[in-house]
Amino acid sequence: MSQIEGTFFNVDLDLHGSAADIEQVISFIAPSVVVMRHEGGDASLELAEQFSSAEATLQAIAELIQALPYDARSAWDRLKYRRADIGLQIGSQHGQLTGAISLEVLGMMVRSGLELAYTVYPPVAD
């Protein structure tokens, strides 16, 4: 089976729930994230520190969430969804793009209440 080139962009942390709960979570993690969008009960964040892989980024997000103090963690848990969205761009070759997230990091995500999503962007025209 052939492989295609792909590029890992980042992982967006997408949140939806009450505006007060999102505010409480953001106020604690603000030094570690960049707020890309925050409108009422919806927010999209990225880690301020960039990592070279989806797994390393997911691990850092899970560690950040697991470090939340009780009140902020309660607000986190009340959110309707907490989604880690992996952004990838595929190359122009035919084949498949593969990758893996270790059981350790998947477990951290589960304990953090993170849903996993991915967005695959088309190849850039030459």
Side-chain angles (χ1 to χ4, degrees):
M1 208 171 273
S2 63
Q3 297 282 359
I4 60 173
E5 291 184 19
T7 303
F8 165 70
F9 281 139
N10 61 17
V11 177
D12 290 342
L13 181 58
D14 297 325
L15 308 176
H16 177 75
S18 82
D21 286 340
I22 289 176
E23 279 291 332
Q24 189 167 14
V25 169
I26 290 176
S27 69
F28 181 78
I29 63 174
S32 300
V33 300
V34 174
V35 178
M36 306 303 290
R37 180 182 55 79
H38 180 206
E39 299 166 354
D42 289 297
S44 184
L45 320 169
E46 290 181 5
L47 290 177
E49 181 179 354
Q50 294 297 305
F51 295 87
S52 61
S53 72
E55 179 167 50
T57 307
L58 291 169
Q59 181 174 351
I61 290 171
E63 288 170 351
L64 185 63
I65 300 313
Q66 290 175 0
L68 289 172
Y70 179 78
D71 289 345
R73 179 60 194 246
S74 294
W76 171 265
D77 289 339
R78 285 191 300 268
L79 295 175
K80 292 187 194 276
Y81 72 73
R82 303 157 301 271
R83 181 175 296 147
D85 187 349
I86 301 170
L88 304 167
Q89 182 175 45
I90 59 171
S92 59
Q93 302 171 8
H94 295 290
Q96 72 183 42
L97 176 63
T98 62
I101 306 299
S102 70
L103 289 175
E104 177 184 355
V105 172
L106 287 172
M108 292 174 72
M109 292 179 62
V110 168
R111 289 187 296 279
S112 299
L114 276 169
E115 176 181 317
L116 183 61
Y118 58 89
T119 300
V120 179
Y121 299 95
V124 175
D126 293 331

